[in-house]
Amino acid sequence: MPTPDQCQTMADIRAEIDRLDRQVIALLGQRFAYVKAASKFKTSGAAVKAPDRVQAMLQQRRVWAEEEGLNGDAIASLYRDLVNHFIAEELKHWQQAQPE
């Protein structure tokens, strides 16, 4: 994997960005598997939504982003969207597992 400074062409840059994006997406898929697995430990829809946990998590992601030289607000926003989607999916998964 060449560093950004080692790339010789825009094609090199794009190929590396695509490779990294593929890894990010694969990691998001792994994260989603954990989200679904977490639903079996939840006792209610409110526990699935866990707003206090979400806020704490978003704040930590903001800190991590800033440590990497990224815009904390932008990363928190990205994660907010991601987590809202995952919570909706986890809630569906949790509801399907509930006895009728």
Side-chain angles (χ1 to χ4, degrees):
M1 169 177 98
T3 66
D5 291 338
Q6 292 171 330
C7 290
Q8 301 291 313
T9 66
M10 276 304 296
D12 293 344
I13 295 281
R14 289 179 179 142
E16 290 307 309
I17 289 171
D18 288 349
R19 184 185 60 73
L20 290 169
D21 285 348
R22 180 69 181 115
Q23 290 177 348
V24 168
I25 291 168
L27 289 169
L28 290 173
Q30 291 176 28
R31 187 185 194 285
F32 185 47
Y34 282 101
V35 167
K36 289 188 293 187
S39 70
K40 68 184 171 191
F41 299 103
K42 308 290 177 83
T43 57
S44 68
V48 171
K49 293 177 184 176
D52 291 341
R53 164 66 181 141
V54 170
Q55 288 308 310
M57 182 273 304
L58 290 175
Q59 180 56 36
Q60 184 62 59
R61 299 323 178 257
R62 177 180 277 110
V63 168
W64 291 344
E66 291 169 356
E67 289 173 354
E68 293 296 324
L70 299 171
N71 182 298
D73 291 337
I75 297 301
S77 177
L78 183 145
Y79 265 88
R80 187 175 296 104
D81 288 347
L82 177 70
V83 169
N84 285 338
H85 169 71
F86 281 177
I87 287 171
E89 292 298 313
E90 181 184 3
L91 191 55
K92 284 190 242 177
H93 192 77
W94 180 81
Q95 288 168 335
Q96 290 170 353
Q98 299 310 299
E100 295 193 26

